[in-house]
Amino acid sequence: MTTTAREEAARRRTFAVISHPDAGKSTLTEALALHARVINEAGAIHGKAGRKSTVSDWMDIEKARGISISSAALQFTYDGAVVNLVDTPGHADFSEDTYRVLAAVDSAVMLVDAAKGMEPQTLKLFQVCRHRGIPVLTVINKWDRPGLEALQLMDEVRDKTGLEPTPLTWPVGIAGDFRGVLDRRAGDFIKFTRTAGGATVAPEQRMTAEQAAESEGDAWTFAAEESELLEAMGQGHDQDSFLAGKTTPVLFGSAVLNFGVRQLLDTLLELAPPPGPRPDEKGEPRPLEKPFSAFVFKVQAGMDSAHRDRLAFVRICSGVFERGSVVTHASTGKPFATKYAQQVFGRERSTVDLAYPGDVVGLVNASSLRVGDSLYIDEPVTYPPIPSFAPEHFAVVRAKDSGRYKQFRRGIEQLEQEGVVQVLRSDLRGDQAPVLAAVGPMQFEVATHRMEHEFTAPVAMDRLEYTLARRTDRTWAKVLDRESGVEVLERGDGELLALFAGSWRLNRVLRDHPDVLLEPLVAATD
Ligand code: G4P
């Protein structure tokens, strides 16, 4: 059984797609699954408003805004490998969830819209990848329509991420006239043929350079020249530099036409790292063949209005997961029975009986599990906590109906545990009106909605003018509390956070108290 964990890990690839909204993440997800033949027709997986046969009955907010807040992982097999695509929520506002998902992956695919280049959200997510040392593959999408020049896009990637782009394929035909790609390592041409609406896997035909020159003429010559130029500039793939986060292999494609999707899957299998031994909180890697261990990277309640259940999504780090086994919850030492274990993607749920390192499993009825918690069998392990990011939005929350205070408290506690929002308290404000803190304002929307519909305690939210948070201690808290435009509150994890109404206030405090303890929190954009 122990060898199985290592062997199964070796054939797994666990990754996330990071992109700005509308770059084509949902389309690419469908195309990947289509290639893996999980589904027969594109459009059956992801809950996006208006899309054919996509239904989402998760939360009304998701329905109303056509976004997905809830997310988990899609698993499929491809060419003997098991691919785990961990979904990052694709909405314009950031939430902490987005970042936590990246704790669960071994690599990321950065999806770039050929016409728009590097966009803010892609960059923010990319920075989290860099922070965590996650290798990044880049896909330039939408090459079927007019966009920037390929070389210009490479400059953007280099200038904005600091990563050296190493294209594996190079487009033949300018953006808008996509004929196929030059396979830079083999030197030949992969010709794409359009199918109606990209609904089936686009046929690919390999040709030699000579055949390509004959069939594509100038478009081929131009692509070959540019590719040689890249070669001369030393932009060839090097596996060590990629794994070290110094370079990013680049592919060109069109998700909607299913062009280049196979290259992406092949590249993931060939280059993306499989799950490896994960360091515990002391930095000691836990070998894959050790008994089962995992950590919680996401907790989700109310995903399905018919079943108000609570799922904890864990990423397996070592050993074999067998449904029904009893595991130990590291932070309490208590046993946790894994009777119900599911794979969840979109609305699809299926029971998981066996899972291996790199896999994502949703544990049902996991009311005691919190984000960052570790689980293990036999040999104890605690994985490092998942950092909570510096909040930038703050609001006071109160129960609209004081008669429902009990429900209010329970709801706030629950949202805090799930990490939907951070909850800050102080004696001055009291328990009836805590301050909620978030990385993205949509977290407030989700909290308000759930307080009303799930906990039957409608709330009023009043936004506060603070925009910055710094960590401080009790001694300095007394000094800071006397300053105007500054307030110190305690977070659930015991940290004292000083909130400032803008950098001007912060700078003034720093000037007046040069010794003040004000540590930056982990910022999403560090
Ligand atoms: P997201 O999840 O990253 O937000 O993006 P999504 O896949 O929803 O794609 C956003 C829009 O971009 C969609 O158009 C989609 O069809 C289009 N798109 C995705 N990939 C490609 C591509 O390779 N080429 C072209 N030309 N378009 C692409 P929409 O009009 O918003 O929706 P729809 O009605 O087409 O579904």
Side-chain angles (χ1 to χ4, degrees):
M1 187 168 102
T2 46
T3 348
T4 325
R6 205 172 30 203
E7 282 166 7
E8 288 291 336
R11 67 185 193 107
R12 275 165 165 73
R13 298 293 181 274
T14 301
F15 74 104
V17 177
I18 56 174
S19 69
H20 197 82
D22 275 344
K25 188 161 66 78
S26 318
T27 313
L28 179 70
T29 304
E30 284 160 12
L32 285 168
L34 174 72
H35 269 260
R37 299 184 195 283
V38 171
I39 51 170
N40 300 320
E41 202 183 336
I45 295 179
H46 221 273
K48 195 129 197 198
R51 212 167 260 179
K52 193 167 133 218
S53 61
T54 60
V55 243
S56 166
D57 67 355
W58 299 339
M59 289 178 61
D60 299 343
I61 304 176
E62 294 186 319
K63 248 192 272 182
R65 298 180 51 163
I67 51 165
S68 94
I69 298 169
S70 334
S71 64
L74 172 68
Q75 185 179 69
F76 56 86
T77 53
Y78 176 75
D79 206 9
V82 178
V83 179
N84 291 309
L85 168 49
V86 186
D87 193 25
T88 50
H91 44 78
D93 285 337
F94 259 116
S95 71
E96 294 189 65
D97 241 18
T98 319
Y99 298 111
R100 293 189 194 123
V101 162
L102 294 172
V105 301
D106 301 309
S107 61
V109 168
M110 180 162 79
L111 191 64
V112 178
D113 183 326
K116 300 203 176 123
M118 298 295 299
E119 294 179 272
Q121 195 146 329
T122 322
L123 275 171
K124 273 200 187 183
L125 288 163
F126 165 76
Q127 271 148 1
V128 180
C129 289
R130 183 160 63 186
H131 198 72
R132 304 196 65 93
I134 300 169
V136 176
L137 279 162
T138 299
V139 171
I140 308 287
N141 189 32
K142 305 196 185 181
W143 201 257
D144 60 291
R145 68 178 194 202
L148 303 171
E149 283 180 22
L151 285 173
Q152 190 183 347
L153 282 159
M154 295 307 97
D155 287 344
E156 275 220 11
V157 170
R158 183 186 307 107
D159 295 347
K160 296 203 171 152
T161 66
L163 282 185
E164 189 60 38
T166 56
L168 301 175
T169 63
W170 197 250
V172 176
I174 56 165
D177 176 30
F178 198 13
R179 322 250 184 117
V181 290
L182 189 163
D183 177 340
R184 295 193 60 233
R185 290 181 297 174
D188 47 17
F189 177 47
I190 304 167
K191 186 183 169 76
F192 297 138
T193 308
R194 263 176 198 261
T195 58
T200 53
V201 178
E204 293 181 3
Q205 194 188 346
R206 261 195 193 261
M207 292 184 180
T208 62
E210 293 73 37
Q211 289 167 330
E214 195 161 311
S215 111
E216 308 304 323
D218 287 349
W220 172 262
T221 314
F222 189 67
E225 278 170 11
E226 284 193 330
S227 178
E228 272 171 34
L229 187 72
L230 293 169
E231 200 60 48
M233 295 192 307
Q235 285 173 297
H237 173 73
D238 174 67
Q239 184 66 5
D240 291 340
S241 313
F242 161 56
L243 294 179
K246 292 183 186 147
T247 60
T248 177
V250 182
L251 297 165
F252 288 79
S254 163
V256 85
L257 296 180
N258 282 309
F259 285 4
V261 177
R262 182 202 291 264
Q263 280 80 40
L264 174 58
L265 280 169
D266 290 342
T267 306
L268 278 164
L269 264 50
E270 186 195 343
L271 306 180
R278 195 166 185 104
D280 65 11
E281 63 178 354
K282 294 190 202 92
E284 292 280 324
R286 175 155 169 126
L288 294 165
E289 58 274 20
K290 285 268 181 186
F292 166 84
S293 70
F295 68 90
V296 180
F297 66 95
K298 180 183 176 68
V299 174
Q300 184 88 51
M303 277 175 87
D304 185 340
S305 48
H307 316 90
R308 286 263 173 251
D309 55 359
R310 190 173 137 117
L311 271 105
F313 291 100
V314 302
R315 142 118 192 186
I316 298 172
C317 301
S318 67
V320 181
F321 170 81
E322 287 173 275
R323 189 170 63 83
S325 57
V326 177
V327 303
T328 306
H329 180 204
S331 59
T332 59
K334 288 194 178 144
F336 179 84
T338 60
K339 189 170 170 200
Y340 302 103
Q342 297 183 331
Q343 229 172 53
V344 181
F345 195 84
R347 280 199 66 209
E348 307 295 314
R349 288 178 175 215
S350 54
T351 294
V352 177
D353 290 317
L354 275 179
Y356 302 93
D359 290 347
V360 168
V361 175
L363 299 173
V364 186
N365 295 334
S367 53
S368 58
L369 303 186
R370 300 183 188 191
V371 169
D373 282 359
S374 303
L375 300 172
Y376 63 82
I377 289 181
D378 294 342
E379 293 187 43
V381 62
T382 301
Y383 290 104
I386 299 178
S388 44
F389 288 93
E392 291 171 19
H393 303 270
F394 304 88
V396 178
V397 62
R398 284 185 194 82
K400 277 189 183 159
D401 174 358
S402 54
R404 307 201 66 76
Y405 180 60
K406 230 171 73 190
Q407 289 84 346
F408 172 80
R409 254 178 77 145
R410 201 167 60 83
I412 295 292
E413 249 174 55
Q414 172 79 25
L415 298 180
E416 181 177 23
Q417 276 179 23
E418 278 179 44
V420 171
V421 281
Q422 297 178 27
V423 181
L424 313 178
R425 299 180 173 88
S426 69
D427 290 344
L428 198 67
R429 290 193 180 270
D431 251 6
Q432 319 249 346
V435 171
L436 303 187
V439 172
M442 190 187 284
Q443 290 174 252
F444 294 149
E445 230 179 285
V446 173
T448 306
H449 182 91
R450 288 187 54 190
M451 287 300 289
E452 179 167 349
H453 297 276
E454 209 177 313
F455 303 103
T456 59
V459 295
M461 285 264 193
D462 292 312
R463 293 293 291 267
L464 296 170
E465 56 173 353
Y466 306 122
T467 54
L468 286 170
R470 291 285 183 276
R471 185 184 294 119
T472 190
D473 64 10
R474 297 215 177 266
T475 317
W476 281 108
K478 291 194 192 95
V479 178
L480 291 165
D481 262 338
R482 286 197 292 270
E483 300 282 328
S484 67
V486 186
E487 182 175 350
V488 180
L489 293 131
E490 186 168 345
R491 193 164 67 181
D493 59 2
E495 295 284 6
L496 285 180
L497 302 193
L499 311 188
F500 296 86
S503 51
W504 181 81
R505 297 269 181 200
L506 173 64
N507 289 335
R508 209 199 48 204
V509 169
L510 289 171
R511 195 194 58 210
D512 294 349
H513 306 280
D515 300 332
V516 68
L517 178 80
L518 286 175
E519 283 172 356
L521 297 147
V522 179
T525 47
D526 267 355

